[in-house]
Amino acid sequence: MDIVVSGIRSTGNLHLGNYIGAIRNFVKMQEENHCFFFIADYHSLTTHPTPADLYDSVKSVLVEFLACGLDPEKATLYIQSDVPEVAELYLLLNMNAYLGELERCTSFKEKIRTQPNNVNAGLLTYPTLMAADIIIHKAHKVPVGKDQEQHLEMTRTFAGRFNRMYHVDYFPEPVAYNFGEELVKIPGLDGSAKMSKSENENGAIFLTDPPEVIRKKVMRAVTDSGPTQHNQPKPLPVENIFLLMQAFSEPEKYTYFNDLYNRCEIRYGEMKKQLAEDIIAFTAPFREKIETLSGDTDYLGKVARMGAEKARESASKTIRDVREIIGFKGM
Ligand code: ADP
Ligand code: TRP
């Protein structure tokens, strides 16, 4: 049975990109694999949340995990900071992670650009913490969206380096995973290539967004004045609306609007209205469950404690082995 690990940072509510790129796969994978899914709250400290914000966002991601269909009886659901063994493995991996390779990481370069006043060591070593998250359970598969491909490549580098350095075959080299397809990227409504909460919140639709907010966001989505020649390629913001329709509407509706586009008869208003209603229908069951679960603090506490216990059992075994391999044998 494959071991599967993945995490989501606790930096706010989950959006449609998170669901399609990651969580939808978590839900499927929990049926037939040994799964560990966690809330990456150590990772979220790179942006310096207040204690109250940190708590609220961890809680909301846990609620949203459950509302999306993650089952704490089937998968191990836990909060990263409940498993301090991860922090120890992170420290050990950092000793063999090189400045050059960390600096070359695209997500780090992007952070230097977007937050030049907060380029902290946590950002630089984000990939080693992520590698620790994954290899602490000796994972084989990591369900993530396309943006995480490079982090997975670095995880394989760190795992392979450890094995070679200590002449062991201890850590598997995990692969990024999506069911039967390429890794996916859901675009933003604002013309950006990736729906994201950290980079362009306005282009994101959250699972918690009520219908009127979804309608407003979709109707505001960037388009253009329409094609002037038959069968023209679509400019990025328009392509995005079509990609969203492909993900959330019936295939016939996509074909209908695509044909109109190719005949230069497209009316974006009509298309966006349809897309908004389809997204509302898609998210409605999640919204309902989120509302019910949010108030059930006892249940959430129980889930988190149970997850922490199972995750620590697996993590502490790895840490015992790793200490032994490295040569920390005690006196
Ligand atoms: P964000 O970029 O909004 O901050 P995260 O980085 O927390 O989102 O992403 C959590 C998970 O969701 C990762 O596996 C990531 O690959 C996936 N993901 C995020 N945005 C998208 C997207 N637009 N399309 C597909 N997957 C995505
Ligand atoms: N870096 C991931 C993201 O931004 C979150 C994450 C942290 C993660 N640790 C992980 C994902 C381990 C998969 C496995 O989305």
Side-chain angles (χ1 to χ4, degrees):
M1 193 158 42
D2 278 334
I3 300 175
V4 175
V5 174
S6 194
I8 303 262
R9 274 177 306 151
S10 51
T11 44
N13 294 108
L14 300 181
H15 55 73
L16 293 174
N18 298 140
Y19 181 76
I20 300 289
I23 298 170
R24 184 178 58 164
N25 290 318
F26 298 2
V27 175
K28 283 201 230 168
M29 291 177 105
Q30 70 183 351
E31 300 300 332
E32 290 185 357
N33 301 280
H34 190 172
C35 291
F36 295 88
F37 300 124
F38 66 93
I39 300 165
D41 57 348
Y42 283 146
H43 278 284
S44 72
L45 295 183
T46 57
T47 53
H48 306 163
T50 64
D53 283 347
L54 180 64
Y55 173 82
D56 286 348
S57 52
V58 170
K59 182 179 166 201
S60 65
V61 177
L62 180 59
V63 164
E64 290 168 36
F65 267 6
L66 295 166
C68 288
L70 290 188
D71 182 343
E73 303 290 338
K74 292 180 181 158
T76 298
L77 305 185
Y78 65 99
I79 299 165
Q80 186 186 32
S81 64
D82 280 342
V83 184
E85 289 80 4
V86 168
E88 180 169 348
L89 186 57
Y90 163 64
L91 179 148
L92 298 172
L93 292 179
N94 270 334
M95 301 302 169
N96 304 313
Y98 294 95
L99 184 59
E101 63 191 342
L102 295 170
E103 278 177 335
R104 274 196 301 278
C105 179
T106 319
S107 61
F108 180 64
K109 288 197 276 194
E110 185 64 16
K111 292 293 176 193
I112 295 182
R113 199 176 60 76
T114 54
Q115 50 182 74
N117 297 323
N118 180 24
V119 184
N120 57 66
L123 281 178
L124 180 71
T125 57
Y126 188 107
T128 44
L129 179 53
M130 179 157 163
D133 289 328
I134 295 169
I135 68 176
I136 193 104
H137 302 300
K138 304 178 75 178
H140 304 104
K141 290 180 182 161
V142 185
V144 281
K146 189 158 179 54
D147 60 312
Q148 297 298 312
E149 231 168 358
Q150 191 184 28
H151 287 151
L152 258 294
E153 206 178 297
M154 294 175 82
T155 300
R156 285 190 290 277
T157 302
F158 298 139
R161 189 174 289 161
F162 180 92
N163 289 343
R164 276 191 301 282
M165 182 159 178
Y166 294 106
H167 310 288
V168 290
D169 186 15
Y170 187 70
F171 289 120
E173 293 190 14
V175 292
Y177 187 81
N178 183 44
F179 268 91
E181 307 157 36
E182 300 247 306
L183 299 183
V184 296
K185 182 155 76 175
I186 296 291
L189 284 167
D190 55 352
S192 56
K194 183 192 154 207
M195 184 176 284
S196 165
K197 60 183 170 282
S198 35
E199 281 142 44
N200 42 0
E201 196 167 317
N202 294 334
I205 292 181
F206 297 95
L207 299 180
T208 45
D209 281 346
E212 58 280 14
V213 172
I214 295 178
R215 278 191 200 102
K216 212 185 278 167
K217 285 184 177 175
V218 175
M219 294 317 284
R220 267 205 315 251
V222 186
T223 48
D224 61 7
S225 52
T228 51
Q229 283 170 23
H230 284 203
N231 303 316
Q232 259 186 338
K234 302 180 183 86
L236 189 65
V238 174
E239 174 71 12
N240 283 358
I241 313 278
F242 276 92
L243 285 171
L244 287 165
M245 189 157 244
Q246 215 164 27
F248 299 104
S249 303
E250 306 279 321
E252 305 79 58
K253 289 178 191 158
Y254 174 86
T255 312
Y256 169 74
F257 286 105
N258 199 40
D259 288 347
L260 287 179
Y261 183 90
N262 285 332
R263 295 201 302 268
C264 303
E265 289 167 18
I266 184 90
R267 288 204 306 269
Y268 292 125
E270 190 196 340
M271 181 177 177
K272 290 199 256 183
K273 246 187 218 155
Q274 180 66 55
L275 177 62
E277 293 317 308
D278 292 337
I279 292 178
I280 290 167
F282 183 88
T283 50
F286 300 135
R287 241 179 348 266
E288 259 173 48
K289 289 192 198 122
I290 289 169
E291 229 165 85
T292 321
L293 282 161
S294 298
D296 202 345
T297 318
D298 284 352
Y299 176 64
L300 297 174
K302 212 176 97 195
V303 169
R305 280 191 299 278
M306 188 167 90
E309 197 180 312
K310 287 196 280 179
R312 285 198 79 174
E313 205 179 296
S314 154
S316 55
K317 168 154 193 338
T318 305
I319 285 294
R320 266 198 310 277
D321 293 345
V322 165
R323 284 177 147 264
E324 169 88 23
I325 291 169
I326 287 182
F328 291 139
K329 294 183 198 239
M331 284 299 150

